[in-house]
Every structure is written in structure tokens, then in C-alpha cells.
């Protein structure tokens, strides 16, 4: 148990020291154009790999809730649809319609993107190379702090509006 705790703590420190600002990390925008993480420099960004046909898909509601609660203070929630776990719809148009109609999403969203393996997007490939961490299922979350460093990662079972996630986000936001 103690060895596991030390290993997990060591990984958390390694992940926390990973600087993602080195990019450039550009994602294709589901609406056309691109999302460039450097455009959000100085702001916390929660990057979440998502899927429309997953048991965790209802977390979209919580992700939108986070965005609604904190966007005026600078938080960006970036949804990254992925079919790496074979639970995403076939086209970006289907994903966009599903998310807007079912969950009323207006948070930034990418096109369908690989998040693991040889075809992983550079953001995820660099995260894995630097820390060993990669999404092991849909709705894994990565919080990049306002300083461009990875502050925390969470698996699929961590609910977006949980205290663990909101506390970490609030620590990165300017005080009002």
C-alpha cells in the first residue's frame, strides 16, 4: 500500500512539473478552424477526451456546468471527442448535433481526435512521453494551470463538478 502511494505521489509530481505551454498544441475545431492552446495562455484549461456512446457521456452535463460556472473567471473546458475506445459517433456533424441537442453544449470542442497510441494527437503523445499518463478510457481529464503546467489528471469516474476537480480549478482562477 505504501509503495503504491509513493508511486502515485511520484507520478503526480512528475505530471505537475510537465509544462504543456511548449506546444504548439493545435486541435481542429469541430466548427471549423482550430483551437490553439497558446490562445488560452494564462488561463486554466480542462482538456477532456469524450465519446457520445459511453456510460460516462452524461458527464457532458457536468462539463458544461463547469464551463458555465467558471468561464467568466477564465476557465476553458475543451472537449476532445475520440473514437479510440470505439464509442464515438461516425462524423463530427453527428457529434456536434448530439452534444448540442442532448446537452446544450457550447464549450469548445475539437474534431474526432486520437488520444492514445501511435496516432495520438501531439498533446496526448507529449503528455504520455513526459509523464507516462494517457487516457485509459473516455472522459479522462487533464487540468492545465494558468502557468501552462499540468496540475492534475483524473480518470473517467471523477465527476466534473466534484470537489476534487472544482478545488483544483478554483486554485488556478483569479480571485474576485
Amino acid at each position: 500500500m505504501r509503495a503504491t502511494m509513493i508511486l502515485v505521489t511520484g507520478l503526480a509530481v512528475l505530471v505537475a512539473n510537465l509544462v504543456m505551454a511548449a506546444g504548439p498544441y493545435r486541435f481542429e475545431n469541430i466548427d471549423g478552424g482550430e483551437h490553439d492552446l497558446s490562445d488560452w495562455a494564462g488561463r486554466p484549461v480542462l482538456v477532456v477526451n469524450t465519446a457520445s456512446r459511453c456510460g460516462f457521456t452524461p458527464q457532458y452535463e457536468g462539463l458544461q456546468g463547469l464551463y458555465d460556472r467558471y468561464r467568466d473567471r477564465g476557465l476553458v473546458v475543451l472537449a476532445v471527442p475520440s473514437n479510440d475506445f470505439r464509442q464515438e459517433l461516425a462524423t463530427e456533424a453527428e457529434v456536434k448535433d448530439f452534444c448540442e441537442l442532448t446537452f446544450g453544449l457550447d464549450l469548445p470542442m475539437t474534431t474526432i481526435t486520437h488520444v492514445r497510441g501511435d496516432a495520438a494527437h501531439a498533446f496526448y503523445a507529449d503528455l504520455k512521453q513526459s509523464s507516462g499518463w494517457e487516457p485509459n478510457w473516455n472522459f479522462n481529464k487533464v487540468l492545465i494551470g494558468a502557468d501552462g503546467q499540468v496540475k492534475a489528471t483524473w480518470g473517467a469516474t471523477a465527476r466534473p463538478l466534484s470537489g476534487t476537480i472544482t478545488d483544483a480549478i478554483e486554485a488556478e482562477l483569479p480571485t474576485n
Side-chain angles (χ1 to χ4, degrees), residues 19-95:
V19 177
M20 297 307 293
Y25 298 110
R26 293 182 182 97
F27 291 86
E28 291 183 44
N29 183 335
I30 202 163
D31 294 319
E34 66 181 20
H35 295 294
D36 187 335
L37 291 186
S38 68
D39 289 343
W40 298 319
R43 300 170 65 181
V45 180
L46 184 69
V47 182
V48 185
N49 66 297
T50 62
S52 302
R53 293 182 174 166
C54 177
F56 293 103
T57 300
Q59 285 190 20
Y60 270 131
E61 185 175 331
L63 294 173
Q64 184 65 47
L66 275 176
Y67 190 55
D68 291 343
R69 182 185 296 181
Y70 297 117
R71 79 168 106 188
D72 290 342
R73 292 180 56 199
L75 177 68
V76 175
V77 177
L78 179 63
V80 182
S82 178
N83 197 33
D84 286 357
F85 304 103
R86 299 182 182 169
Q87 294 188 314
E88 188 51 273
L89 298 169
T91 69
E92 279 87 16
E94 290 175 307
V95 172

Side-chain angles (χ1 to χ4, degrees), residues 137-157:
W137 195 245
N138 302 307
F139 290 88
N140 279 216
K141 300 149 193 83
V142 179
L143 178 62
I144 302 168
D147 61 1
Q149 293 186 357
V150 172
K151 299 298 180 178
T153 60
W154 297 276
T157 59

Side-chain angles (χ1 to χ4, degrees), residues 109-176:
M109 183 174 279
T110 72
T111 58
I112 298 171
T113 303
H114 289 286
V115 299
R116 53 184 291 127
D118 292 339
H121 184 278
F123 171 84
Y124 286 101
D126 289 353
L127 185 61
K128 181 178 182 192
Q129 181 182 11
S130 299
S131 70
W133 188 90
E134 70 178 342
N136 61 8
W137 195 245
N138 302 307
F139 290 88
N140 279 216
K141 300 149 193 83
V142 179
L143 178 62
I144 302 168
D147 61 1
Q149 293 186 357
V150 172
K151 299 298 180 178
T153 60
W154 297 276
T157 59
R159 296 183 182 272
L161 293 168
S162 69
T164 303
I165 293 177
T166 58
D167 289 349
I169 290 169
E170 288 177 8
E172 294 301 313
L173 296 170
T175 56
N176 286 345

